[in-house]
Amino acid sequence: MLGNIPSKKPKTIFYKPSYSSGNGTLQIEKLFNKRVFSNPKPLQLLWDFIEIGLSRNDTILDFFAGSGTIADAVMQLNAKDDGDRKYILVQLPEKIDKKKNKTAYDFVKDELKANNPTIFDITKERLIRAGNKIQADNKASKIPKDLSKQDFGFKVFETMPIWEDYDFEADEFDKQQTLFNEITLTENDIKALLTTWKTYDGIALTCDLEAIDLGGYCGYYASQKLYLMDQGFKTENLVKLLEKIDKDTNFNPTSVVAFGYHFESKNLRENSENLKSYANKKQMDIDFIIRY
Ligand SMILES: C[S@@+](CC[C@H](N)C(=O)[O-])C[C@H]1O[C@@H](n2cnc3c(N)ncnc32)[C@H](O)[C@@H]1O
């Protein structure tokens, strides 16, 4: 001891030589034939974490995906023990600094053909290469396993900003909100809003909304929720909607959610009353929800 300051650092007791970050670097180099990411975690460390903390059908969430080692580790373990572990990775579209990491920058630009190379490009490519490698190695092994039930695919979701001062809690038209002039809303704004509402309503991101034609007006439907986002919903569209509810066995909206800014308040009242009072053949209670 030097005064009150300890002079010796404790060594971790959770250690194996295979946990060295050099191992992680070698593993990435093997997949990409070059060093495209600095200090990725070694697979061995993550296998041990996963086996300590997860059962074989759990989902692991990594908010700082980097090169995506956790997904590689999950796929490899699943292939080894027929597990059904799932992963969710989050990665910022952090730009790759051309000066600091020229190898990675050039690789993403030249081989992956990305205009603005980001770390996410590496994450995504790692998942593709890792999945392919596991299958190729298995095929080339002496006793290949049946991996046909293993899922080596993945879906990519991207967050999109909703317009800056959007008020999710608003429950009526706010004249002060000049931004909500339909002219200022782009198709992407509406798409972002629809995804936000869908998630809020408990519909999985993996569940696509179905476009429903209501006599020339397009509604969006999933999990018994129908979203009316666009302008121009008229009485004839409401009639089509009621007909579809009666006739289509696969169409059972218990909530109809309307984007209030795209309706006149008189129409909103009428639609709400008509939907609620109409004695549909399925005897379903249908809620009419207005969101702004
Ligand atoms: C040290 S790396 C992770 C390495 C990873 N475990 C591997 O083996 O490749 C951390 C990553 O987190 C990302 N990151 C940093 N801040 C973040 C944030 N707020 N949200 C999401 N990702 C973030 C960085 O872009 C970087 O890729």
Side-chain angles (χ1 to χ4, degrees):
M1 294 274 275
L2 282 175
N4 279 333
I5 307 162
S7 57
K8 192 169 177 177
K9 268 201 210 157
K11 281 239 183 283
T12 175
I13 51 165
F14 191 79
Y15 176 74
K16 287 181 189 167
S18 60
Y19 292 170
S20 80
S21 57
N23 240 350
T25 305
L26 281 178
Q27 286 153 2
I28 268 277
E29 275 182 5
K30 239 180 166 173
L31 270 183
F32 287 86
N33 300 318
K34 47 180 78 74
R35 196 174 291 194
V36 293
F37 197 88
S38 313
N39 297 320
K41 297 280 172 295
L43 286 159
Q44 287 81 353
L45 173 68
L46 299 183
W47 285 328
D48 284 352
F49 274 145
I50 292 170
E51 287 192 310
I52 290 167
L54 256 68
S55 75
R56 293 197 316 163
N57 57 2
D58 275 344
T59 301
I60 186 159
L61 170 64
D62 185 352
F63 272 114
F64 303 94
S67 69
T69 316
I70 204 83
D72 192 346
V74 162
M75 288 190 281
Q76 291 203 36
L77 270 188
N78 280 346
K80 194 172 107 189
D81 65 9
D82 300 316
D84 186 26
R85 303 167 187 88
K86 271 97 41 197
Y87 61 82
I88 299 171
L89 305 184
V90 181
Q91 178 56 47
L92 289 175
E94 183 183 322
K95 289 203 168 59
I96 299 175
D97 189 321
K98 193 177 176 176
K99 283 191 196 133
K100 280 196 196 139
N101 199 342
K102 188 169 162 27
T103 311
Y105 185 92
D106 289 346
F107 167 75
V108 175
K109 187 116 191 151
D110 302 337
E111 292 188 40
L112 304 184
K113 311 280 178 227
N115 288 334
N116 299 304
T118 66
I119 301 284
F120 172 72
D121 295 310
I122 307 263
T123 319
K124 186 175 158 200
E125 186 64 17
R126 163 102 185 247
L127 305 195
I128 296 168
R129 289 184 182 219
N132 289 343
K133 183 173 187 311
I134 295 165
Q135 293 172 88
D137 287 353
N138 176 60
K139 231 176 177 177
S141 68
K142 278 194 189 132
I143 312 166
K145 291 181 68 172
D146 176 10
L147 296 183
S148 60
K149 293 213 172 69
Q150 285 296 330
D151 185 356
F152 295 102
F154 56 92
K155 269 197 168 191
V156 177
F157 297 98
E158 189 180 359
T159 55
M160 279 171 82
I162 305 197
W163 50 95
E164 227 169 60
D165 46 2
Y166 173 65
D167 182 2
F168 195 82
E169 301 297 322
D171 49 20
E172 60 185 47
F173 184 64
D174 178 358
K175 285 196 179 66
Q176 308 300 313
Q177 290 270 28
T178 46
L179 262 182
F180 295 111
N181 174 347
E182 56 268 16
I183 298 163
T184 65
L185 295 182
T186 64
E187 208 176 299
N188 272 347
D189 287 335
I190 298 292
K191 220 160 103 189
L193 186 61
L194 195 49
T195 308
T196 306
W197 283 0
K198 165 185 151 181
T199 311
Y200 176 81
D201 291 332
I203 303 173
L205 283 171
T206 43
C207 174
D208 287 330
L209 290 162
E210 187 188 344
I212 302 283
D213 177 33
L214 303 169
Y217 180 95
C218 185
Y220 301 91
Y221 178 70
S223 302
Q224 296 196 282
K225 300 202 167 48
L226 177 72
Y227 297 95
L228 307 178
M229 306 302 288
D230 297 338
Q231 299 174 68
F233 189 84
K234 300 198 178 77
T235 312
E236 56 260 39
N237 307 118
L238 180 66
V239 172
K240 286 280 177 211
L241 170 59
L242 297 176
E243 275 173 19
K244 193 166 171 66
I245 291 170
D246 280 342
K247 287 188 191 147
D248 187 342
T249 47
N250 295 319
F251 182 67
N252 303 301
T254 48
S255 306
V256 174
V257 185
F259 182 42
Y261 291 106
H262 279 175
F263 287 75
E264 282 180 25
S265 52
K266 182 175 76 109
N267 293 352
L268 281 173
R269 264 196 315 278
E270 274 170 20
N271 290 327
S272 173
E273 279 160 20
N274 285 331
L275 254 180
K276 282 181 186 162
S277 60
Y278 178 70
N280 65 75
K281 290 191 181 145
K282 292 173 186 160
Q283 296 180 330
M284 273 187 329
D285 284 332
I286 305 174
D287 245 358
F288 188 77
I289 300 164
I290 305 158
R291 286 186 191 149
Y292 289 94

